[in-house]
Amino acid sequence: MRSPRQFTPNHLEELIADSKIKPMVNQIEVHPGWPQMETIQYCQAHDILVEAWAPLGEAASLNNEIIVQIAAKYGHTPAQVCLRWGIQQGILPLPKTVHQGRMEENTKIFDFELTDAEMAIIGSLRNLGGQCKVPDQVDF
Ligand SMILES: NC(=O)c1ccc[n+]([C@@H]2O[C@H](COP(=O)([O-])OP(=O)(O)OC[C@H]3O[C@@H](n4cnc5c(N)ncnc54)[C@H](OP(=O)(O)O)[C@@H]3O)[C@@H](O)[C@H]2O)c1
């Protein structure tokens, strides 16, 4: 079982109420198929930067037909579309790769822009890649 590593709004509320300095960054799992919209909206309303771990769904988002089609339209790769989808929401994706070529590829995401419709359809995808357990739903 994947361990529960998510600060959702209820956890952040408690943390902020008990802190002199509010959190500046919240690192959570976000990728197509696991959009975490509620937590992202909460963080952005409270000026907390969301860092997305597993922004490619640990590579599982890359074979999705919709993402592949959008990538082909822009002459980019599915990985670049996943990362661009994150950037356009104002979050900071943290992709991992052991290949230099992919590292370079993953930085080249500032020369195209997804439409609102493409952002929405990618955001509507579900069950691509692993999903971290939500702490409140885990029986420790
Ligand atoms: N805070 C936390 O609880 C937490 C939890 C999990 C992960 N993280 C961190 O988040 C970072 C990323 O997460 P992650 O590694 O789990 O998932 P990820 O970045 O979504 O996916 C990594 C996988 O995608 C492949 N990949 C990367 N770029 C690619 C590209 N351009 N084309 C095709 N495949 C590509 C990688 O393969 P290759 O390496 O073979 O290229 C690897 O298999 C890691 O550095 C990790 O430390 C944090």
Side-chain angles (χ1 to χ4, degrees):
M1 184 182 89
R2 294 164 69 90
S3 60
R5 293 165 291 182
Q6 301 284 342
F7 267 69
T8 51
N10 55 319
H11 308 117
L12 292 164
E13 290 279 8
E14 200 176 320
L15 187 60
I16 289 169
D18 202 30
S19 303
K20 287 187 183 147
I21 301 171
K22 73 172 174 58
M24 299 288 135
V25 175
N26 188 19
Q27 188 179 124
I28 56 174
E29 179 181 5
V30 183
H31 52 79
W34 189 237
Q36 301 254 49
M37 296 297 187
E38 188 188 342
T39 300
I40 291 172
Q41 283 166 5
Y42 178 92
C43 288
Q44 292 181 338
H46 290 80
D47 203 21
I48 298 169
L49 176 68
V50 172
E51 287 184 350
W53 61 260
L56 309 176
E58 298 173 327
S61 305
L62 305 180
N63 295 322
N64 176 266
E65 196 179 322
I66 289 169
I67 293 174
V68 169
Q69 279 176 11
I70 293 172
K73 171 185 165 186
Y74 291 105
H76 281 68
T77 65
Q80 290 170 323
V81 167
C82 292
L83 299 172
R84 181 72 205 182
W85 175 76
I87 288 286
Q88 274 186 231
Q89 295 179 73
I91 68 176
L92 180 61
L94 300 174
K96 167 262 166 189
T97 178
V98 297
H99 297 99
Q100 182 179 339
R102 286 178 175 174
M103 276 182 213
E104 291 168 1
E105 173 189 326
N106 293 347
T107 65
K108 292 177 181 160
I109 57 173
F110 298 100
D111 59 350
F112 73 111
E113 186 169 347
L114 300 170
T115 65
D116 289 346
E118 289 162 346
M119 289 294 292
I121 195 167
I122 295 171
S124 73
L125 298 172
R126 293 292 179 272
N127 301 319
L128 297 179
Q131 292 171 13
C132 184
K133 299 290 179 192
V134 177
D136 300 331
Q137 297 170 5
V138 174
D139 180 8
F140 289 98

